[in-house]
Amino acid sequence: MTTIPANLQAVIQRIAAACAQAGRDPATVCLLAVSKTWPESAVRTAAGAGQRAFGESYVQEALPKMAALAGLMLEWHFIGPLQSNKTRPVAENFAWVHSIERLKIAERLSAQRPAHLPPLNVCVEVNVSGEASKSGCTLDEAPALCHAVAALPRLRLRGLMAIPEPSVDEMSALARRHFGEMRTLYDALNAEGLPLDTLSMGMSHDLEAAIMEGATIVRVGTAIFGERNST
Ligand SMILES: *Cc1c(COP(=O)(O)O)cnc(C)c1O
């Protein structure tokens, strides 16, 4: 656990170096610490080192952790696959959902978002590498889904999320191309009048490539908390 603050610093340095290389202001890239599978104590340690935003993928696992840490005023992002029967606790407890891939789920989240909370920030997840095993809508489906989600009253569409296939060489042309396709889509949607400000892409192994292509949120688990036992 004592390595978490050092790991966090190393990731922040990687982000700063990638921003320097890309000619970007590091303040335009937000670090989301992915704490799925890690106990409350690990999140507490990272929070003590200054980390505010945390990502979780499993509703059942996240809720008790979030309740135990409620006093820390952290910002919680849901980044995992979301089924209809789990939308209510997500709408009631999270600040962000990155993994919108169907309108039905977005409609439920909007209907279930409590009136006393600000609109739920959401991203539409795009399966940019086109793998059958991956979640997310296709690049072709994304514009219509984004426009429909943007019209829902209790959601605020912030942008797009992608998990491209892992590549052996992080800076490979393929990784860059997939992140670049996301950037092109993001620019096109903004040009169509959707006021998007978020490109959620880049993880422990490929955050540099994502930042080169315009990522505004990088989602980093392993490089902060260590290797996960479960998947
Ligand atoms: C687990 C997960 C991450 C973090 O991946 P690492 O390789 O551990 O950095 C990022 N995004 C999503 C959607 C995840 O499920």
Side-chain angles (χ1 to χ4, degrees), residues 34 36 57 79-80 161 163 202-205 219-223 228:
V34 178
K36 67 181 182 207
S57 297
I79 62 173
M161 187 272 249
I163 317 172
M203 314 199 291
S204 291
H205 67 283
R219 308 178 311 268
V220 180
T222 308
R228 288 179 294 275

Side-chain angles (χ1 to χ4, degrees), residues 156-221:
R156 180 171 169 211
L157 180 67
R158 299 295 295 267
L160 305 171
M161 187 272 249
I163 317 172
E165 63 204 313
S167 57
V168 183
D169 175 1
E170 292 71 45
M171 293 300 283
S172 74
L174 188 62
R176 285 289 294 273
R177 180 158 64 78
H178 288 319
F179 289 135
E181 283 166 354
M182 291 295 291
R183 175 56 186 266
T184 301
L185 174 61
Y186 172 82
D187 288 343
L189 293 171
N190 268 304
E192 285 173 18
L194 289 175
L196 308 185
D197 64 4
T198 302
L199 260 180
S200 168
M201 59 188 195
M203 314 199 291
S204 291
H205 67 283
D206 59 7
L207 68 87
E208 284 85 1
I211 288 171
M212 292 302 289
E213 298 295 340
T216 67
I217 298 183
V218 291
R219 308 178 311 268
V220 180

